[in-house]
Amino acid sequence: MTKEEYMRRALQLAKNGEGFVSPNPMVGAVIVKNGKIIGEGWHKKYGELHAEREAIASCTESPYGGEMYVTLEPCCHYGKQPPCVLALIDAGIKKVYVGSADPNPLVSGKGNRFLREHGITVEENILKDECDKINDVFFYYIRKKTPFVAMKYAMTADGKIASYCGKSKWITGESARYHVHELRSKYSAIMVGVGTVLADDPLLNCRIEEKRNPVRIICDTYLKTPMESHLVRTAKEIPLIIATCCNDELLCKAYVDKGCCILNVKEKDGFVDLNDLMIRLGEMQIDSVLLEGGGNLNWSALNCRIVNKVYTYIAPKIIGGKLAKSPVEGQGFSSPDSAVQMEIESFRKIGDDILIESRVINCSQEL
């Protein structure tokens, strides 16, 4: 096998940690000796062993004199786990192939340098683009200290998310809806506006076995979320944050008693200030948010320039209707030149539907 093939195996392993390791990065590691893989590992859960130590622990023979392929620069600082560079030195690894450089200021180049200073050869940037891509959330969060925000919506071929009388079940097919639940397990939190809660009474959980549920967030300026809603009734089982500008202590306490977390944020133009909310969520170590709101919340998020990525599901249907809702409402931008600009990252068919994944290229919070 080539070094690229070994690194691709490490990438496969890293992805096993998706949804479980945040706010840490996904990392995979492979140990090779005499031309064969003798150990593999990945970061399985936040706070648990890092990929390098998992790989060393799994070795079928002594790793002394072996080579390691790791998707991210090994850490060199004490956190919830001791430095991985020490584990590599103690194990007698002679060479390390690294995919991505770690942007964390505590590591950033120091890990590779520490290994070299202790006699270990380091070769960097093996499949760098692929290794960077799996940790776009981590890279953004570690630099900006605010969550990476992805917007998701499903629409018909004529751009409608519901009929003129409000019916939206179901725009897309079963395969596309399953994919949405995979996204929910990937992102740390899922966010909607109170309008969506009032209209649909959603649960906003992940319905795939062995996957994790995201933290649920409601943007509710005046605390209108019904106490009997699915979200409030399950707040003690799945975390629920209500971002509000309401300072009524008795009303807030009623939600807290139900298990909700009330997050008082700044008000902007009569609504929750989304930029302030992102700062607050970042302080809570929420590194990513999947936005599943309606047209008004989507517009506010785009207008505040907090959106980094967009998932667009398109169903081969035409629903029509002047009053039918679209994915983004609000005032809108005044011209195409002032619109949110995006770059398509991927385009594929899911069941009968199409999914377009796009990166926002003029987000004010973009790297």
Side-chain angles (χ1 to χ4, degrees), residues 94-109:
K94 70 174 184 180
K95 184 171 184 177
V96 179
Y97 296 87
V98 177
S100 297
D102 193 333
N104 187 339
L106 295 173
V107 182
S108 192

Side-chain angles (χ1 to χ4, degrees), residues 19-123:
F20 296 100
V21 300
S22 64
N24 280 354
M26 291 182 281
V27 184
V30 171
I31 299 175
V32 178
K33 187 174 180 180
N34 298 323
K36 68 175 182 177
I37 294 175
I38 63 167
E40 295 184 334
W42 68 92
H43 187 27
K44 295 179 179 178
K45 189 176 181 180
Y46 178 67
E48 295 186 359
L49 288 180
H50 291 181
E52 297 94 326
R53 290 180 179 271
E54 286 278 3
I56 291 169
S58 76
C59 282
T60 55
E61 61 179 88
S62 171
Y64 187 86
E67 300 178 336
M68 177 178 284
Y69 293 79
V70 61
T71 56
L72 184 69
E73 179 181 1
C75 65
C76 54
H77 67 290
Y78 283 88
K80 289 187 176 293
Q81 294 292 331
C84 288
V85 291
L86 298 181
L88 271 63
I89 293 167
D90 290 343
I93 299 295
K94 70 174 184 180
K95 184 171 184 177
V96 179
Y97 296 87
V98 177
S100 297
D102 193 333
N104 187 339
L106 295 173
V107 182
S108 192
K110 300 172 187 174
N112 291 340
R113 184 167 64 248
F114 189 92
L115 292 175
R116 290 184 175 114
E117 289 172 351
H118 287 78
I120 297 176
T121 302
V122 179
E123 186 172 339

